[in-house]
Amino acid sequence: MGRLKDPDAIRRIAKKSLFEGLDGMCEGAIIIDRDAKVVWISDKYAARLGLASPASAVGKVVEDVIPNSLMREVVRTGEPMMLDIMQFGPDSFVVMRVPIKDERGRIIGAAGFMIFDSLKHLHPLVSKFQRLETQLADTQKTLAEERRVKYTFTNFMGSSPAAMETKRQARRAAQAETTVLLLGETGTGKEVLAQAIHAASPRAHGPFIGINVAAIPDTLLESEFFGAAASAYTGADKRGRDGKFVLANGGTLFLDEVGDMPMGVQAKLLRVLQEKEVEPLGSNRVAKVDVRVIAASSVDLRQMVSMGRFRSDLYYRLSVLPIELPPLRDRIGDLELLCDHILEDISRASGRPPRELTPTALAVLSAYSWPGNIRELRNVLEQVTMNSDNARLSAEEFSLVLPRLAPASRPGDRPTLRLADVVADAERHAIKSALAAAEGKKILAAELLGISRATLYQKLSALAPARGDRRH
């Protein structure tokens, strides 16, 4: 048997075979011309519609045969309707409608197929669609929750003058639309404050997107910020992706450790801040964005500007509202409150009863300089609670951690290892810090220390050196 080689002949046979196959598999078929008049209807379709015979429908406009039919719309638009539900009296049919074109591509009519005569055949498809819809809604909900802030101003705890001034400035910044620059040592709570500013701002309903510049390789930072078109990628995954600016549209973008940004990306960030539009990597199209930027740095950006490592124009654009977060050593009066909160967190996470600090333990903690600030404080408390079964954590238990963390001794001094000396030094340092924070006001210093004024006077008297011991 010879094989058919003429492509046109193969196409004609395929079309005929396809139509006959659909007609055989479906519950009925109908064809109309470009004037929407019926030119043919299958016996099965005529019977389903309750017609006397197929011939009785030929020559009639399709709406006279099938009220509310959309076949005319397919002829008019040339667009198929691949899956639809058609109501005919009390019955519902699942139908498909496709345009018919001639050799020159002109619309000359349309064909309709009754795929199912009962909606029950769609139940598996509808169920799958509903499952996908539910999964999509759950994913969108989870994503929205991840982009919702976890912290407000109540999470930036402290009643010391330094902490209160920081919160005052941050609350004022929340009501503005300009960029904010948070400055402070690592572990001082810059991300907590950034989220609090967003939560108290008019943008609170929008997303909060955070990115740690120091954690992203320089080669990927541009696409992380601005996104990438599909043509920018090679390999198996060539899909484009949105950048953090697009994801944060209508909300706030938090750029942590902005001082680690390479100079090339700094120039592009400056343009986005000025023009309010981003151009994805590998694309020549720009997209408008409405984003408020909060930047943070644990390094001195002014010094980096003088060293030529940070653009001065970007620095001035970011530092419209600079806020400096105080280190923990400058707000020792907040230490007890912070410890209580952290110990409660540890208790919830571990499922163990909450712990407390003895006065001597608090004094020892108050004497330490905390170069890692609140993050280091949490680490120390976690270490001690992990190794202790006591409800009240004492100075003795902290001595396993604190001696190697204590401030360096003065040259020529022997290290202080006796617990009594550590506690005395801790109390002296805590009182000195409280007096400094209270600007010498003893009543306020006593409140910061959580002791009475009489107790403060007693400790000041006990800690004062004897007159004979004074050095000249």
Side-chain angles (χ1 to χ4, degrees), residues 289-336:
V289 289
D290 174 26
V291 175
R292 188 207 192 161
V293 171
I294 300 178
S297 177
S298 59
V299 298
D300 189 342
L301 292 183
R302 285 171 295 189
Q303 184 178 2
M304 294 188 68
V305 169
S306 65
M307 295 168 61
R309 294 173 55 192
F310 201 85
R311 293 178 63 106
S312 59
D313 46 6
L314 178 59
Y315 169 73
Y316 293 122
R317 174 67 67 172
L318 292 175
S319 63
V320 177
L321 285 174
I323 300 175
E324 191 147 354
L325 282 72
L328 183 54
R329 60 183 172 274
D330 289 348
R331 45 182 294 211
I332 289 297
D334 297 327
L335 185 65
E336 185 174 7

Side-chain angles (χ1 to χ4, degrees), residues 116-144:
F116 302 121
D117 61 352
S118 173
L119 297 184
K120 68 180 181 180
H121 299 285
L122 283 183
H123 287 172
L125 181 62
V126 172
S127 297
K128 184 176 181 180
F129 177 75
Q130 288 175 337
R131 286 197 305 272
L132 291 173
E133 234 183 7
T134 302
Q135 291 172 3
L136 177 61
D138 291 342
T139 302
Q140 290 175 332
K141 182 180 178 181
T142 301
L143 187 59

Side-chain angles (χ1 to χ4, degrees), residues 219-240:
T219 54
L220 300 179
L221 200 55
E222 186 176 345
S223 62
E224 281 289 324
F225 275 175
F226 314 121
S231 58
Y233 293 113
T234 58
D237 188 0
K238 297 183 179 180
R239 294 172 296 178

Side-chain angles (χ1 to χ4, degrees), residues 179-433:
T179 54
V180 177
L181 179 60
L182 304 179
L183 300 168
E185 297 176 5
T186 180
T188 50
K190 294 187 287 294
E191 183 167 3
V192 173
L193 200 64
Q195 292 196 23
I197 291 172
H198 172 78
S201 75
R203 294 177 175 267
H205 65 281
F208 177 91
I209 303 295
I211 178 172
N212 188 326
V213 176
I216 307 296
D218 291 356
T219 54
L220 300 179
L221 200 55
E222 186 176 345
S223 62
E224 281 289 324
F225 275 175
F226 314 121
S231 58
Y233 293 113
T234 58
D237 188 0
K238 297 183 179 180
R239 294 172 296 178
R241 56 177 303 216
D242 290 331
K244 293 297 190 290
F245 270 93
V246 171
L247 295 177
N249 193 39
T252 301
L253 178 62
F254 175 55
L255 305 178
D256 199 8
E257 297 300 347
V258 71
D260 284 38
M261 190 182 304
M263 295 294 285
V265 181
Q266 289 181 32
K268 295 189 176 183
L269 174 60
L270 179 64
R271 182 180 181 277
V272 173
L273 295 177
Q274 291 173 336
E275 305 297 331
K276 306 294 184 184
E277 60 185 25
V278 295
E279 182 177 340
L281 187 68
S283 172
N284 57 3
R285 293 189 298 178
V286 297
K288 286 288 184 181
V289 289
D290 174 26
V291 175
R292 188 207 192 161
V293 171
I294 300 178
S297 177
S298 59
V299 298
D300 189 342
L301 292 183
R302 285 171 295 189
Q303 184 178 2
M304 294 188 68
V305 169
S306 65
M307 295 168 61
R309 294 173 55 192
F310 201 85
R311 293 178 63 106
S312 59
D313 46 6
L314 178 59
Y315 169 73
Y316 293 122
R317 174 67 67 172
L318 292 175
S319 63
V320 177
L321 285 174
I323 300 175
E324 191 147 354
L325 282 72
L328 183 54
R329 60 183 172 274
D330 289 348
R331 45 182 294 211
I332 289 297
D334 297 327
L335 185 65
E336 185 174 7
L337 177 64
L338 292 168
C339 287
D340 288 343
H341 174 72
I342 293 172
L343 289 171
E344 287 178 4
D345 274 354
I346 294 172
S347 172
R348 282 193 295 268
S350 65
R352 300 176 66 181
R355 315 293 187 89
E356 295 180 356
L357 296 178
T358 62
T360 53
L362 183 61
V364 169
L365 294 176
S366 300
Y368 181 55
S369 61
W370 299 109
N373 295 290
I374 300 172
R375 187 177 295 122
E376 185 182 8
L377 174 63
R378 177 179 289 273
N379 178 267
V380 169
L381 291 172
E382 285 178 342
Q383 287 186 56
V384 174
T385 54
M386 188 181 300
N387 293 306
S388 173
D389 294 323
N390 297 325
R392 303 189 75 209
L393 304 175
S394 66
E396 289 87 348
E397 291 170 302
F398 280 100
S399 67
L400 297 173
V401 176
L402 286 177
R404 64 175 180 272
L405 298 178
S409 302
R410 292 186 298 272
D413 286 353
R414 292 194 305 170
T416 301
L417 297 178
R418 292 179 62 246
L419 182 60
D421 292 337
V422 173
V423 172
D425 286 345
E427 286 193 346
R428 186 180 296 108
H429 181 80
I431 291 171
K432 181 180 178 181
S433 299

